[in-house]
Amino acid sequence: MIFRTASFQDLDAATLYALLKLRVDVFVVEQSCPYPELDGRDGEPGTRHLWYEVDRKPVAYLRMLEDAEPGGPVCRIGRVVTAPEARGDGLAGQLLTAALAAVGDRPAVLDAQSHLAKFYAKYGFAASGPEFLEDGIPHVPMRRG
C-alpha cells in the first residue's frame, strides 16, 4: 500500500484515469447516482489529490480544493471514496488525517453524506447547516475550525 499526493498537473494520464474510474465506479455506478462526476474542479490551482494505491490501482481517494468564503479561504474536502475491496481498513480516515495535517489551522469544509456525519465528527467536523439532497442523496454541510 502506497500513499500518494499530487496536483492535477503532476498526474500522468494513467493515474488520472484510474482515480476518476474509482470515483465513477462508486459515486455513479454503485450508488446509482447518474450525475456529472467530472465537475471541472480537479485541475484548479491549489487542488490536491490524495490516494492510496495497491499495484498502481487506487483503492482510496480524496480531493482538496481551495474555496473562497466571506471570511477568507477555506479548504474544501470532497470526493472521499474507498473501493469496495478496501473498505474497513481505515484508509478514508488516514487520508482525512493527511489532508487535515496539510490544512493545519485553516478552516476546512465538506458536504458529508448524512450517514457519514458521525465519521467526520471524529475528525473535528460539526454540522454547519441543514441537511440537503444532492443528486438524491442526503448530505449535511460540515465545518472544522
Side-chain angles (χ1 to χ4, degrees):
M1 181 100 41
I2 299 172
F3 171 74
R4 304 240 188 238
T5 182
S7 68
F8 183 78
Q9 293 75 17
D10 294 332
L11 293 170
D12 61 55
T15 301
L16 176 61
Y17 176 87
L19 294 173
L20 296 175
K21 183 176 184 332
L22 172 61
R23 287 168 31 181
V24 168
D25 284 351
V26 173
F27 296 135
V28 178
V29 178
E30 180 184 325
Q31 295 183 355
S32 298
C33 188
Y35 74 102
E37 167 56 26
L38 303 180
D39 60 3
R41 300 206 66 192
D42 290 305
E44 290 180 358
T47 298
R48 298 297 299 171
H49 303 271
L50 288 69
W51 72 97
Y52 279 102
E53 65 183 30
V54 175
D55 298 326
R56 299 232 358 112
K57 179 185 177 191
V59 294
Y61 168 90
L62 69 71
R63 177 177 77 179
M64 300 170 63
L65 302 169
E66 294 294 327
D67 272 3
E69 287 193 353
V74 299
C75 175
R76 175 165 295 281
I77 295 172
R79 300 303 201 262
V80 181
V81 62
T82 304
E85 67 272 14
R87 292 182 187 151
D89 294 338
L91 297 177
Q94 291 175 43
L95 287 174
L96 197 54
T97 297
L100 293 173
V103 169
D105 292 335
R106 293 180 300 139
V109 297
L110 55 82
D111 292 332
Q113 290 188 7
S114 295
H115 72 279
L116 295 171
K118 288 182 183 177
F119 167 77
Y120 291 109
K122 292 189 289 189
Y123 296 88
F125 285 90
S128 59
E131 185 177 69
F132 64 95
L133 286 178
E134 183 173 329
D135 299 305
I137 297 175
H139 284 71
V140 61
M142 301 187 82
R143 183 178 188 89
R144 177 181 175 268

